[in-house]
Amino acid sequence: MTNPIPPVDAASPTRGRPRDAALDRALLEATLEVLYEKGYGGLTTSAVAKRAGVSTATLYRRWKSKDDLVVGTAVRWAHDLGPGQDTGSLHGDLTELLTDKARTLDGPGGRLLHVLIGESAHNPALARVLDDAVVQPVRDRAAALLERAVARREIPPAQNPRVLADLVVGAMVSRVFLTPPPEPAAPGQDAGPPPPAGEAMITELRPFLLRALGASPR
């Protein structure tokens, strides 16, 4: 793995002896590695424990089941979008939202999401976690940036900010996960490496969203 696991929240409530944060990170990283290699169906707690170099008893003291382990990993890797900064314009606020989401989908969190989307279709607990960790932050951020844009009189009041979040998530997931990569350059043509799929989507999606919201695209 080239990307370190984000720090474990030291403020999480525990009982008895404090948990070893380094061991938690090792187990979460091992979960990601096994998921990437074998998919959700091939993931077992014993495989994760072996990859992390610990016993299954050690894993079960932290997560009671395979689903609990995967849910914990998904939450750990979800990018916390937060409320976003007020850039002074809808164009700037929307660009920051799209950029942050693209960074998530193009990175480890996106690869994990790719693995788990299919499983969430028949795993209600996992579907709820993905909605809370991946979609809800976009809904909250979209509502905040639309409220600012209305206050600036850039756009008329939005009836349903959730639609903007659905457009952002749906379009980006479609581009990153469902759209085939571009054809390689013809022999003798050096087109250079293509931009990450999420980043490439920003320039296409932003003007459409601005028009849909009643703003003038730049």
Side-chain angles (χ1 to χ4, degrees):
M1 299 290 293
T2 58
N3 296 279
I5 289 287
V8 175
D9 184 2
S12 298
T14 58
R15 294 181 179 179
R17 187 173 57 184
R19 282 167 50 156
D20 185 337
L23 187 53
D24 285 352
R25 287 195 297 272
L27 284 163
L28 293 171
E29 186 168 310
T31 304
L32 282 174
E33 292 176 356
V34 176
L35 277 170
Y36 295 157
E37 293 173 9
K38 301 183 178 181
Y40 187 88
L43 177 75
T44 63
T45 52
S46 60
V48 171
K50 182 177 180 181
R51 182 70 59 94
V54 302
S55 68
T56 53
T58 298
L59 185 153
Y60 282 126
R61 282 197 292 270
R62 288 158 170 78
W63 295 281
K64 61 185 179 181
S65 67
K66 167 181 169 176
D67 282 356
D68 193 34
L69 173 63
V70 171
V71 165
T73 306
V75 170
R76 182 70 62 206
W77 270 112
H79 182 61
D80 181 11
L81 289 174
Q85 297 296 319
D86 184 352
T87 67
S89 72
L90 174 60
H91 183 278
D93 287 356
L94 187 58
T95 298
E96 282 205 348
L97 170 61
L98 294 173
T99 300
D100 286 349
K101 199 61 195 171
R103 188 179 298 118
T104 299
L105 294 179
D106 283 328
R111 295 197 297 273
L112 175 61
L113 180 61
H114 196 183
V115 173
L116 299 181
I117 281 178
E119 176 63 23
S120 67
H122 49 84
N123 186 326
L126 183 58
R128 284 192 296 271
V129 168
L130 292 179
D131 184 71
D132 289 344
V134 177
V135 181
Q136 190 58 47
V138 182
R139 293 189 185 120
D140 294 340
R141 179 98 164 247
L145 72 85
L146 289 178
E147 183 177 349
R148 292 195 296 267
V150 171
R152 298 187 202 105
R153 299 186 178 180
E154 293 178 280
I155 59 172
Q159 293 184 345
N160 189 354
R162 180 180 180 135
V163 173
L164 174 61
D166 290 343
L167 286 172
V168 170
V169 175
M172 287 195 145
V173 166
S174 175
R175 169 58 64 90
V176 175
F177 298 155
L178 303 178
T179 303
E183 294 291 333
Q189 294 181 351
D190 184 12
E199 290 184 11
M201 185 66 191
I202 294 173
T203 56
E204 298 176 13
L205 183 59
R206 182 176 49 206
F208 171 81
L209 293 175
L210 288 170
R211 284 194 296 269
L213 294 170
S216 298
R218 294 185 181 182

